[in-house]
């Protein structure tokens, strides 16, 4: 039992846990979501060193990734902690964790089914 189990929330307040969200995505038009919105999607994600994601692109959404910690490679660019990379629609990338990493990813607009695998690389 945690302190939250005894907590009575004020009217208009909702409390969620990132661990209950799917893949770290906590804002978007999906379930579960702390805030359901088709305007934007937001995730906090952790990746172990050596993780290599699939090359993909978005036809509609712009993807903004903040590397909170670690080192990674996206779009052929080595990123360090604190770097923010913005990918326009149609820009292919993967996420390759060179070290253990934590990211904040924002996709806007929030567009479900807007991830296309790119096998060119």
């Amino acid at each position: 039992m945690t302190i939250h189990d005894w907590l009575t929330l004020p009217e208009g307040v909702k409390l969620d846990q990132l661990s209950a969200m799917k893949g770290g995505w906590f804002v978007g038009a999906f379930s579960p979501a702390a805030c359901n919105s088709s305007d934007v999607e937001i995730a906090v994600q952790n990746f172990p060193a050596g993780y290599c994601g699939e090359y993909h692109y978005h036809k509609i959404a712009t993807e903004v990734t903040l590397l909170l910690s670690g080192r990674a490679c996206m779009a052929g660019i080595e990123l360090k902690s604190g770097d923010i990379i913005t990918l326009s629609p149609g820009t292919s990338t993967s996420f390759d964790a060179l070290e253990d990493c934590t990211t904040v990813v924002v996709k806007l607009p929030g567009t479900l089914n807007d991830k296309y695998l790119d096998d060119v690389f």
Side-chain angles (χ1 to χ4, degrees):
M1 185 174 286
T2 70
I3 193 163
H4 297 300
D5 295 328
W6 303 318
L7 187 62
T8 301
L9 297 174
E11 181 75 26
V13 175
K14 180 181 174 199
L15 183 63
D16 291 292
Q17 287 288 310
L18 185 60
S19 62
M21 303 295 133
K22 185 176 179 183
W25 292 94
F26 66 97
V27 174
F30 38 75
S31 182
C35 178
N36 194 283
S37 172
S38 60
D39 294 331
V40 66
E41 296 175 5
I42 305 172
V44 173
Q45 299 175 307
N46 296 301
F47 299 95
Y51 171 88
C52 294
E54 297 178 306
Y55 271 94
H56 71 282
Y57 62 94
H58 303 286
K59 290 183 179 178
I60 300 169
T62 296
E63 183 175 318
V64 181
T65 300
L66 161 60
L67 187 62
L68 283 176
S69 65
R71 284 186 319 114
C73 187
M74 288 183 74
I77 300 167
E78 186 171 322
L79 306 173
K80 64 183 184 326
S81 180
D83 285 344
I84 301 170
I85 187 167
T86 302
L87 304 174
S88 298
T91 304
S92 293
T93 192
S94 65
F95 183 87
D96 301 327
L98 304 176
E99 299 175 352
D100 290 347
C101 294
T102 300
T103 63
V104 175
V105 181
V106 177
K107 264 183 48 191
L108 57 134
T111 52
L112 298 178
N113 303 313
D114 183 41
K115 184 175 182 177
Y116 299 89
L117 297 184
D118 190 344
D119 60 3
V120 173
F121 295 93

